């Protein structure tokens, strides 16, 4: 019997890539939940015809409406019984602080994610993937970050998950709070028997907050995009010239919901110890090289020009990106395997 995976925000570039991967590379049934009308692109229409028969259900729902969301998550029927999702991939969010008023950005992103996490604890849905962002750090939209800041992050390159965060815009703050919500839910959560009581942290949820960065589709003529821009007024130096391909981001989602700890619950080797995951974990999901043209500029040159106060870790330079994704590699087995089409 195929397991059911719920996906919110399936109409976006990442949602489309997740649907494509799950329909063509897995046997999962999919429950697509969107506030907007269902994804109706030609690519998705073809995938539905070729791979989606009997495997795909679409529902429209405002994720900030707790009752409506619960009803949708309980709606899937199989053999006259309710079939709950075994995992949920939450991609729906307002993607920056520019397209909506600040209070809307913050409330939409935090309330919808809390509803997802709370219902996952109650129903339960044991595996949860949350689309976070490198902007939880306080990066691309930071309102006061100026050229060569002396008192703001980053503190070192490449940046890993242990780096302090300092969100200063409503989008960055919402992402930081969403990760804090996941921490809280993983520590305790709420019991189905008593929704006002804190449950034991042994309820088994695994929550992954995936910090994506400028998700692009390989069909978008990535090499022609103005990602690498020497003009300081463009502000690309704020987000550290990073990107990730949509299909690689989708693969990270799949690896996160399928992660298993070492057999028998024991980690005897260092490699096994690095894979142990219980509760909530944050992962950077970014390509390993920066978006400049090879041979044109060195990572160290960029760092020295724009961030001459930042500590550089030994051995880092060349085309190396500014984001350290080793944790995703060691724990999830995720490495950005493909490069954008030339």
């Amino acid at each position: 019997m195929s397991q059911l995976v719920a996906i919110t925000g399936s109409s976006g570039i990442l949602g489309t890539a997740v649907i494509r991967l799950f329909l063509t590379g897995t046997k999962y049934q999919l429950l697509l939940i969107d506030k907007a009308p269902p994804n109706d692109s030609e690519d998705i229409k073809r995938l539905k015809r070729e791979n989606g028969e009997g495997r795909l259900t679409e529902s429209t729902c405002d994720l900030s409406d707790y009752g409506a969301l619960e009803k949708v998550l309980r709606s899937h029927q199989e053999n006259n019984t309710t079939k709950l999702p075994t995992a949920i991939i939450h991609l729906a969010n307002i993607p920056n602080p520019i397209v909506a008023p600040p209070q809307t950005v913050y409330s939409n992103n935090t309330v919808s994610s809390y509803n997802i996490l709370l219902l996952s604890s109650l129903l339960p849905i044991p595996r949860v993937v949350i689309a976070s962002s490198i902007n939880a750090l306080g990066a691309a939209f930071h309102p006061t970050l100026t050229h060569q800041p002396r008192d703001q992050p980053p503190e070192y390159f490449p940046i890993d998950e242990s780096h302090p965060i300092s969100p200063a815009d409503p989008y960055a703050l919402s992402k930081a709070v969403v990760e804090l919500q996941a921490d809280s839910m993983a520590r305790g959560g709420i019991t189905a028997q008593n929704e006002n009581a804190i449950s034991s942290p042994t309820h088994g949820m695994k929550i992954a907050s995936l910090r994506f960065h400028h998700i692009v589709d390989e069909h978008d003529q990535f090499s022609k995009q103005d990602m690498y821009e020497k003009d300081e007024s463009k502000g690309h130096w704020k987000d550290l010239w990073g990107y990730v391909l949509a299909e690689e981001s989708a693969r990270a989602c799949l690896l996160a919901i399928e992660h298993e700890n070492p057999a028998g619950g024991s980690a005897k080797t260092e490699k096994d110890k690095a894979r142990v995951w219980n509760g909530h974990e944050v992962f950077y999901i970014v390509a390993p090289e920066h978006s400049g043209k090879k041979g044109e500029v060195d990572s160290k040159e960029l760092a020295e020009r724009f961030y001459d106060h930042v500590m550089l870790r030994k051995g880092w330079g060349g085309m190396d990106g500014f984001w350290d994704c080793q944790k995703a590699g060691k724990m999830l087995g995720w490495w950005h395997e493909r490069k954008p089409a030339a």
Side-chain angles (χ1 to χ4, degrees):
M1 183 182 297
S2 297
Q3 295 181 340
L4 178 66
V5 175
I7 303 170
T8 74
S10 65
S11 297
I13 181 173
L14 178 52
T16 299
V18 170
I19 295 169
R20 185 186 303 122
L21 173 63
F22 278 57
L23 287 182
T24 60
T26 78
K27 299 297 184 182
Y28 291 115
Q29 293 178 296
L30 302 181
L31 172 60
L32 309 184
I33 308 171
D34 285 283
K35 186 175 182 179
N39 191 326
D40 205 29
S41 68
E42 290 303 317
D43 185 30
I44 294 300
K45 285 181 179 178
R46 178 183 57 79
L47 286 169
K48 289 176 182 177
R49 289 194 303 268
E50 297 176 359
N51 307 95
E53 186 175 355
R55 294 178 57 197
L56 197 150
T57 303
E58 296 172 297
S59 294
T60 301
C61 175
D62 181 350
L63 301 180
S64 65
D65 185 333
Y66 180 91
L69 178 58
E70 180 179 12
K71 184 177 180 179
V72 169
L73 290 173
R74 292 183 181 273
S75 66
H76 199 83
Q77 297 289 314
E78 191 168 281
N79 298 325
N80 297 317
T81 60
T82 298
K83 181 177 182 177
L84 292 171
T86 57
I88 184 164
I89 301 173
H90 178 44
L91 309 178
N93 76 120
I94 295 176
N96 60 59
I98 301 168
V99 298
Q103 69 274 17
T104 304
V105 173
Y106 179 81
S107 61
N108 177 86
N109 291 355
T110 55
V111 172
S112 62
S113 67
Y114 189 77
N115 286 345
I116 292 287
L117 289 164
L118 180 56
L119 283 166
S120 296
S121 180
L122 288 169
L123 292 178
I125 301 171
R127 302 296 177 93
V128 183
V129 172
I130 301 287
S132 188
S133 167
I134 61 101
N135 286 293
L137 182 77
F141 305 108
H142 199 298
T144 60
L145 194 61
T146 56
H147 180 42
Q148 293 188 339
R150 299 288 176 176
D151 58 351
Q152 298 284 355
E155 296 180 359
Y156 54 81
F157 293 137
I159 295 170
D160 59 17
E161 292 82 359
S162 63
H163 192 290
I165 64 174
S166 59
D169 68 80
Y171 176 70
L173 181 60
S174 75
K175 291 301 181 181
V177 169
V178 166
E179 292 181 5
L180 189 61
Q181 291 173 349
D183 275 336
S184 173
M185 201 63 65
R187 282 195 297 267
I190 310 295
T191 64
Q193 292 75 27
N194 181 359
E195 296 189 11
N196 295 314
I198 300 299
S199 69
S200 164
T202 60
H203 60 306
M205 285 180 71
K206 286 187 179 182
I207 308 168
S209 290
L210 304 183
R211 288 181 177 174
F212 299 114
H213 189 359
H214 190 77
I215 299 171
V216 295
D217 189 274
E218 69 173 329
H219 305 295
D220 285 345
Q221 296 296 313
F222 175 83
S223 61
K224 295 182 180 179
Q225 291 183 4
D226 189 23
M227 280 289 298
Y228 173 64
E229 175 59 68
K230 292 183 178 180
D231 182 354
E232 297 170 22
S233 67
K234 300 292 185 181
H236 295 303
W237 53 272
K238 284 187 179 182
D239 62 12
L240 303 174
W241 306 276
Y243 74 95
V244 60
L245 286 177
E247 64 183 79
E248 297 295 329
S249 304
R251 194 164 54 82
C253 294
L254 177 60
L255 288 169
I257 68 168
E258 292 189 338
H259 175 276
E260 296 291 345
N261 284 333
S266 61
K268 297 179 180 179
T269 67
E270 290 302 316
K271 184 177 180 180
D272 281 346
K273 289 178 182 178
R275 281 189 55 79
V276 173
W277 167 20
N278 296 294
H280 174 232
E281 295 286 350
V282 174
F283 302 94
Y284 278 115
I285 304 296
V286 189
E289 73 279 349
H290 64 71
S291 59
K293 293 181 180 179
K294 189 173 183 179
E296 182 176 301
V297 66
D298 185 283
S299 299
K300 286 185 178 179
E301 180 184 331
L302 286 171
E304 289 166 1
R305 179 180 178 189
F306 293 96
Y307 297 97
D308 66 356
H309 65 297
V310 174
M311 181 184 73
L312 307 182
R313 291 186 168 175
K314 188 176 180 180
W316 178 82
M319 287 296 294
D320 290 342
F322 288 72
W323 307 91
D324 185 344
C325 299
Q326 291 189 67
K327 180 180 177 182
K330 293 176 180 178
M331 189 171 287
L332 300 180
W334 181 88
W335 304 98
H336 198 281
E337 295 178 352
R338 299 192 62 185
K339 292 186 178 181

